[in-house]
Amino acid sequence: MKGLVHEDFLKKADLLRPRLIESVRRPKGIVTIRKDERENVCVEAEEPMDVLKDRTLGKGERICFDFGDHYVGYLTLRISTAGSPPDAPLYMKIRFGENAKEITERAEDYDGWISSSWIQEEYIHVDVFPTDLQLARRYAMRFVEIQVLDTSRKYRIRFDDVSFRAVSAVDMAKVTPLSYGDKLLRRMDRVALKTLEDCMQDVFEDGPKRDRRLWMGDLRLEAIANYETFHHNDLVKRCLYLFAASRLENGAVGACLFTEPTVQVDDTYMYDYALFYVPVLLDYYEASGDMSSARELWEVAYRQLEIGMDALDERFLVKEDNTAFLDWKAGLDKQAGAQGVLIYSLRCGIRLANLLGYDENEMEEWLKLTIQAAKRYLWDPEQKVFISGKEKQVSYASQVWMILADIWDKETNRELLKRIMELDPEMNMVTPYMNHHFVMACIQCEEYDLAMTYMKNYWGEMVRDGADTFWELYNPKNKNESPYGSSIINSYCHAWSCTPTYFLRKYERIWRSIS
Ligand code: RAM
């Protein structure tokens, strides 16, 4: 194993491994999915499932099952034959779609920069019938399309049973549905909960289709949503220990971790994601009151702040060529946003030190210096916005993170929020992750109406577009947006999109009072 390894932390994380809850799901019906003349995806209900016993398929024919909701797990097909004894193997292609659109896209057309192997499809031979074919790989899906590539002239196949063993560390049936709000709001909460449920597996995954692993930025938002819903605090604890157990050489936490076959930090370091270890630990402590774990992990958190400070230039500014993520918006300059994340994380560090009884003086000093630098070098007094990088770029991300860093008074922050919406710069936000922070900034500025309207427009629009779970990417102005080269590779159940359930539950009193 490469990097820094802490065996004790690994053991602790292992003891917290969740037992997955299983449920068997069967399709609700057989459907046809196609694109109409205007490229809209249409799902046409074809037949109920009971026709299956009379339906046989031969070469070139296909069938698409609709499970009625999104699930994560394992598919089993019971297949028998009709006609003469099967004198040749069955050869078939199985495709899984988290949503209907994926079924209309062709893997052969994908030419993006991340691996096409994420596309959920299999080519399979079956030699002996009848058979219970269990696919070994775990899938994330609502739709399963099977295309018979060949049987022989002498026999056809029949699906006697189609079942899916769904898995998750939690059960959303145990969470009380939202008790207020209109239909859209309740649906948004439900879709968000489903998103979180399907991402909560052996760890908090980013997306069960892709990348199926533990990313710090995703964990942070999943954890706060979990505290309002599933209350599975041990899963957060497990992830905190995992990140602490396998780190990069200098003690930095990696942007993500692989957990199979053994725990291994990825060699990707992201400036903002490493700092987020601090707020994740603070939030965990505040939700659980688990002082001993918070104390044990404090050094790991503090080390992230040290590393964050070491990376600054002599003016105490995040360098222009930093490794922060912030959003998938192409061309986004990360300097100002990353400075905002640093200041935000320092505040979390100070708060946690206070709660745990540790000295916060050094962090107070860092906070002063980084705030001063932000005000002096990143604030444009004429435009009254934060600018970022050589090109002095004005983006949503920079303003949002500086509002969350809370370096101006409330009124100035509020004006800044309004200003950025008026300017509506080309550097907008494309992930629900970045949009989460925008809503958070509205709440911090006590712009509650704005926060609610925004949520309903953004996540609500995804619901109107048919989301069963919230998507990794969503740009209402370009619904096919993908940072990867094609939307076939996008994840359609993505953890960082699950926060409507957090907002709707955490701030319930506010929403009730303004509705
Ligand atoms: C996506 C991952 C994950 C995120 C990274 C930065 O590719 O799926 O959600 O944290 O980007």
Side-chain angles (χ1 to χ4, degrees), residues 206-207 210-211 215-218 270 273 325 328 472 484 494 496:
D206 58 336
R210 207 215 80 245
D211 304 325
W215 284 85
M216 183 65 82
D218 304 71
M270 288 180 181
Y273 273 31
F325 167 67
W328 274 121
E472 174 186 19
Y484 312 118
H494 216 68
W496 67 19

Side-chain angles (χ1 to χ4, degrees), residues 438-455:
F438 180 82
V439 174
M440 212 56 248
C442 296
I443 291 174
Q444 190 167 308
C445 294
E446 295 177 10
E447 290 287 347
Y448 302 122
D449 279 319
L450 179 59
M452 179 50 85
T453 314
Y454 194 84
M455 264 195 288

Side-chain angles (χ1 to χ4, degrees), residues 415-443:
E415 283 162 18
L416 180 57
L417 186 69
K418 294 277 164 70
R419 194 165 307 115
I420 194 65
M421 292 185 73
E422 272 160 34
L423 286 174
D424 195 22
E426 201 260 297
M427 278 301 139
N428 56 7
M429 306 173 277
V430 297
T431 55
Y433 171 77
M434 190 59 228
N435 278 277
H436 161 89
H437 294 104
F438 180 82
V439 174
M440 212 56 248
C442 296
I443 291 174

Side-chain angles (χ1 to χ4, degrees), residues 188 191-192 195 459 462-463 467 469-472 492-494 497 500:
M188 278 162 56
V191 172
T195 309
W459 281 271
M462 247 190 279
V463 166
T469 46
F470 286 124
W471 307 338
E472 174 186 19
Y492 292 97
C493 172
H494 216 68
S497 315

Side-chain angles (χ1 to χ4, degrees), residues 233-337:
N233 295 358
D234 274 357
L235 194 61
V236 184
K237 180 173 172 181
R238 167 166 156 79
C239 295
L240 280 164
Y241 273 99
L242 284 172
F243 269 117
S246 179
R247 277 178 283 156
L248 301 166
E249 286 300 344
N250 64 349
V253 296
C256 74
L257 286 186
F258 302 95
T259 49
E260 297 291 342
T262 51
V263 178
Q264 171 66 61
V265 63
D266 190 11
D267 53 9
T268 315
Y269 167 79
M270 288 180 181
Y271 186 80
D272 48 348
Y273 273 31
L275 287 168
F276 284 145
Y277 193 85
V278 186
V280 178
L281 186 59
L282 170 65
D283 294 340
Y284 169 72
Y285 174 66
E286 290 191 319
S288 68
D290 176 1
M291 171 82 85
S292 72
S293 304
R295 286 210 160 135
E296 190 164 42
L297 296 171
W298 165 252
E299 260 178 54
V300 179
Y302 190 76
R303 180 75 192 120
Q304 308 315 307
L305 295 172
E306 278 179 339
I307 295 169
M309 288 302 296
D310 282 349
L312 302 182
D313 69 10
E314 60 300 335
R315 297 168 301 167
F316 292 98
L317 271 192
V318 171
K319 292 186 182 138
E320 280 164 20
D321 62 339
N322 62 79
T323 56
F325 167 67
L326 305 185
D327 193 22
W328 274 121
K329 175 73 190 171
L332 176 67
D333 191 284
K334 315 282 173 79
Q335 184 186 30

Side-chain angles (χ1 to χ4, degrees), residues 181-193:
D182 57 18
K183 222 171 127 197
L184 178 64
L185 226 52
R186 287 168 192 249
R187 179 71 190 151
M188 278 162 56
D189 180 70
R190 209 266 171 201
V191 172
L193 262 181

Side-chain angles (χ1 to χ4, degrees), residues 224-238:
I224 57 172
N226 167 62
Y227 301 139
E228 302 301 322
T229 53
F230 296 110
H231 307 287
H232 198 329
N233 295 358
D234 274 357
L235 194 61
V236 184
K237 180 173 172 181
R238 167 166 156 79

